[in-house]
C-alpha cells in the first residue's frame, strides 16, 4: 500500500487546550459537542449510524470521507435539519432531542452549506445583519416607529457587521449584492454570517470548494485565526487534504455512514483502512 | 459585480404621493380657472386611496414575504363590515353627540384590528403551506369570509347591539342585514382621510421593510433553510408580514365601506383579490412605489376610457398586456435601467461617501 505524505502548509496556531476526537486525551471542561450512537435512516437507506464524536472547546476538527459517505447528513443531524432516527446530540451539554434548527442555533451551533445558501438578493452587509438578528435586537414596533432603540440597534448592527466582515477583509464589499459576489467571496460571507450568530461550534461544509490554491491557503489561516479570536470549536468537512491535514487537530473519517477511523493527521494518513477507503482512491481519482 | 441598490429612496415615494395629493386638492378647490376635476374622477379619489393601500399591503405578503395570497379581498371585507358596524352603531346609539371624526377613527381602527385577528386565525393553518397550495387555500378563505358575512345580522336598539347568525329577526334598527349587506350608511370617507391612510400604510410598510424584522422576512423568502440556520423564527416573521398586511387591508376596507351608502359582501369577491394582485404584479413584485403607481393608474384608467364606450375594457386589457410585455422586454428594461442609472448617478455617489 502506498503511503501518501501531505505537505503541511505552515500555519501558525495556538495549540488547542482539549482534543475531543482523540480518545486518549482529556476533553477538558464540558465538550461543545457530543454525539452518542447518532444515526438516521432515509427509508431503507441507513445514511449514518453509530456516530460517536466529542469536540472540545476550541478544537479544530475535520470530517472526511468519500462522496456520499454521509458527511453532510451528519451536519444536518447536528443542526437539526433532520431529526435523528437513533442516538442523541448534545450541544454544550444540552440534549437537543425534539429541538429544531433555530433552537440548535440558539444553543450555539452555526453552519455553512455545501451548496451556498446566501440571501442572494440582499446586500453583503444585510446578510451579516441577519446573522446578528438574535444578537442585536429591537422590537418590530420600534422599527416601524423609528424609536431611539431602532437607531441604536441599527448602528450597533452596522458596526458589528463591518467588524465581522473585516475578518476576511470584506468590509469594502458591504454594499454589494451578495448573489453577485465571486464564488470564493460567497463562501467567506457564509462563514461571516454563521459567526455573527455567536456560536460556540462552527460547522463548515467544504469551505474551500471552488477556491483557488491561493484562496484556500488564506482560508486556512483565517480558520485558525477565527478559532483563536472567537475561542470557538470548528468542525469542517473538506476534500482538500492539504487543508484538512494542515489545520485539523483531530480528524474523523466516515465511510458508508460509519466512522472508520479517528485520530491526528499523522495517524489518519498512515491508517491502512483510511488509505484503502478514501485517501488512496483520492490519489488515483 | 453588481452594486447593491439601496432601497432607501423612500422619500421619492412619499414626496410623489404628497405632491399628487396637493395637486388634487388644488383641482378640487377650483382656485385655478380651467383646472378642475371631472365628477367621475372626483368619485374615484377615495377608491384610489383604498386600492393603493390594498396593493401596498398585498405587496408586503406577495413581494416581501414571498407568499402568493389570493384572498386579500377577504380581509378587506372584514374591515369594511367591522368599520361600518362600528360607525353605524355609534351613530345610532349616541345620536346626540356629534362624533364624526371619532367615529371614523374608531371604524378604521376596528377594521384594522378585526382584519388583523382574521389574519392570525387564517395564518395559522395557511402558513403551514407553501407555494401553490398556500395560494389556493387563501383563495378559499377569502370566499369563506365572504359567505360568512352573508349570514351575519346586526341591529342596534338603544345602546344595545344585537347579533344574529342566519337569523334576520332582530329587534331595533338593522345595521348589517345578511346578503343585503349594510344599507343607509352615513358616508364618512373623505379624500383627505384616504390620503392619511395611504401615508400611514407607506410609513408602516417601508419602515418595516427597512428594519430588522423586515430583513428577517426577506431572508426567509430568499432562503428558508439558511434563515433557520441563523436562528430566525420562520413562523413568527411569516405571520408578522401576513397579519400586518391583513390589518392594513382591513383599514382600507373600512374606508371603502364608509365611502358608499350601502355595501354587500359580493363586492369583495375573488375578482377584487385578483384585481389587487394585478396592481402588485404590474407595479413590480416587491416594489412598493410601483404598487402605488399601478393602483392609481389602473383605477383611473377605466374612467378615462369611458369615451371609448363599449371598447373600454378591451383597451384596458390591451394596456395591461402591453405594460406586462414592456416590463419583461430586456431591451426596454436595459434602456430604462441605464436611464435610471444616469439620473441617479449623482445622488448615488453622494450616498457612497456618507
Ligand atoms: N434527504 C435525504 N433523503 C434520502 N437520502 C439522502 C438524503 N440526504 C442524503 N441522503 C443520502 O445519504 C447519503 C449521504 O449523503 P451526504 O450528502 O451526507 O454525503 P456527503 O458525505 O456529504 O457527500 P459529498 O462529499 O458528495 O458531499 C447519500 O447516499 C445520499 O443520497
Ligand atoms: Mg456533502
Amino acid at each position: 500500500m502506498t503511503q501518501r505524505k501531505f505537505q503541511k502548509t505552515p500555519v501558525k496556531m495556538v495549540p488547542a487546550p482539549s482534543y475531543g476526537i482523540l480518545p486518549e486525551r482529556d476533553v477538558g471542561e464540558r465538550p461543545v459537542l457530543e454525539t452518542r450512537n447518532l444515526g438516521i435512516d432515509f427509508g431503507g437507506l441507513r445514511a449514518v449510524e453509530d456516530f460517536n464524536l466529542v469536540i472540545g472547546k476550541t478544537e479544530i476538527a475535520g470530517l472526511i470521507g468519500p462522496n456520499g459517505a454521509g458527511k453532510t447528513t451528519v451536519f444536518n443531524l447536528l443542526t437539526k435539519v433532520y431529526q435523528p432516527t437513533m442516538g442523541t446530540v448534545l450541544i454544550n451539554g444540552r440534549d437537543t432531542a425534539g429541538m429544531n434548527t433555530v433552537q440548535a442555533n440558539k444553543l450555539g451551533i452555526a453552519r455553512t452549506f455545501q451548496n451556498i445558501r446566501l440571501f442572494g438578493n440582499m446586500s453583503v452587509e444585510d446578510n451579516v445583519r441577519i446573522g446578528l438578528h438574535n444578537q442585536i435586537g429591537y422590537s418590530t414596533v420600534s422599527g416601524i416607529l423609528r424609536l431611539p432603540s431602532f437607531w441604536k440597534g441599527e448602528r450597533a448592527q452596522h458596526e458589528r457587521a463591518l467588524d465581522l466582515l473585516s475578518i476576511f477583509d470584506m468590509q469594502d464589499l458591504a454594499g454589494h449584492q451578495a448573489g453577485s459576489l465571486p464564488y470564493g467571496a460567497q463562501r467567506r460571507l457564509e462563514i461571516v454570517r454563521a459567526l455573527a450568530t455567536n456560536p460556540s461550534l462552527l460547522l463548515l461544509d467544504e469551505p474551500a470548494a471552488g477556491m483557488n490554491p491561493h484562496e484556500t491557503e488564506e482560508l486556512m489561516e483565517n480558520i485558525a485565526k477565527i478559532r483563536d479570536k472567537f475561542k470557538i470549536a470548528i468542525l469542517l468537512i473538506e476534500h482538500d487534504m492539504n487543508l484538512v491535514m494542515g489545520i485539523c487537530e483531530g480528524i474523523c473519517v466516515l465511510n458508508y455512514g460509519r466512522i472508520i477511523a479517528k485520530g491526528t493527521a499523522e495517524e489518519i494518513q498512515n491508517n491502512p483502512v483510511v488509505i484503502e477507503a478514501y485517501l488512496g482512491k483520492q490519489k488515483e481519482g | 459585480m453588481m452594486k447593491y441598490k439601496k432601497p432607501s429612496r423612500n422619500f421619492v415615494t412619499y414626496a410623489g404621493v404628497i405632491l399628487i395629493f396637493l395637486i388634487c386638492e388644488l383641482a378640487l378647490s377650483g382656485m385655478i380657472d380651467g383646472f378642475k376635476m371631472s365628477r367621475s374622477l372626483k368619485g374615484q379619489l377615495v377608491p384610489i386611496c383604498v386600492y393603493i393601500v390594498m396593493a401596498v399591503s398585498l405587496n408586503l405578503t406577495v413581494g416581501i414575504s414571498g407568499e402568493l395570497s389570493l384572498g386579500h379581498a377577504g380581509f378587506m371585507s372584514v374591515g369594511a363590515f367591522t368599520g361600518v358596524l362600528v360607525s353605524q352603531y355609534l351613530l345610532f346609539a349616541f345620536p346626540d353627540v356629534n362624533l364624526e371624526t371619532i367615529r371614523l377613527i374608531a371604524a378604521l381602527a376596528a377594521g384594522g384590528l378585526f382584519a388583523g385577528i382574521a389574519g392570525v386565525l387564517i395564518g395559522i393553518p395557511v402558513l403551514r403551506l407553501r407555494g401553490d397550495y398556500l395560494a389556493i387555500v387563501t383563495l378559499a378563505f377569502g370566499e369563506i369570509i365572504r359567505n360568512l358575512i352573508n349570514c351575519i345580522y346586526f341591529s342596534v336598539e338603544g345602546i344595545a347591539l344585537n347579533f344574529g347568525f342566519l337569523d334576520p329577526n332582530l329587534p331595533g334598527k338593522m345595521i348589517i342585514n345578511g346578503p343585503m349587506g349594510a344599507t343607509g350608511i352615513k358616508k364618512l370617507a373623505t379624500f383627505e382621510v384616504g390620503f392619511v391612510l395611504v401615508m400611514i400604510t407607506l410609513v408602516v410598510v417601508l419602515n418595516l421593510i427597512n428594519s430588522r424584522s423586515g430583513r428577517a422576512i426577506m431572508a426567509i423568502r430568499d432562503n428558508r433553510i439558511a434563515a433557520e440556520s441563523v436562528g430566525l423564527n420562520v413562523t413568527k416573521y411569516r405571520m408578522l408580514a401576513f397579519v400586518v398586511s391583513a390589518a392594513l387591508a382591513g383599514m382600507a376596507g373600512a374606508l371603502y365601506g364608509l365611502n358608499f351608502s350601502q355595501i354587500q359582501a359580493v363586492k369583495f369577491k375573488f375578482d377584487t383579490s385578483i384585481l389587487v394582485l394585478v396592481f402588485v404584479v404590474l407595479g413590480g413584485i416587491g416594489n412598493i412605489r410601483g404598487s402605488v403607481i399601478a393602483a392609481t393608474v389602473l383605477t383611473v384608467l377605466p374612467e378615462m376610457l369611458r369615451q371609448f364606450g363599449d371598447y373600454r375594457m378591451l383597451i384596458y386589457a390591451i394596456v395591461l398586456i402591453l405594460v406586462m410585455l414592456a416590463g419583461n422586454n430586456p431591451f426596454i428594461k436595459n434602456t430604462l435601467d441605464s436611464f435610471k442609472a444616469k439620473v441617479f448617478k449623482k445622488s448615488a455617489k453622494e450616498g457612497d461617501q456618507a
Side-chain angles (χ1 to χ4, degrees), chain B residues 19-48:
Chain B
L19 191 70
I20 302 245
F21 169 73
L22 292 177
I23 291 172
C24 288
E25 283 290 309
L26 201 63
L28 283 173
S29 71
M31 277 187 331
I32 301 168
D33 282 342
F35 183 63
K36 276 212 299 242
M37 207 177 272
S38 74
R39 238 184 86 83
S40 68
L41 194 56
K42 265 186 208 165
Q44 289 293 303
L45 287 176
V46 173
I48 288 171

Side-chain angles (χ1 to χ4, degrees), chain A residues 72 114 205-206:
Chain A
T72 300
Q114 184 171 356
D205 200 344
E206 307 203 7

Side-chain angles (χ1 to χ4, degrees), chain A residues 35-57:
Chain A
T35 68
R36 292 180 192 151
N37 303 324
L38 188 64
I40 187 169
D41 294 334
F42 291 121
L45 176 82
R46 182 152 291 188
V48 174
E49 65 180 320
D50 276 337
F51 187 85
N52 289 296
L53 182 70
V54 178
I55 294 183
K57 240 188 161 184

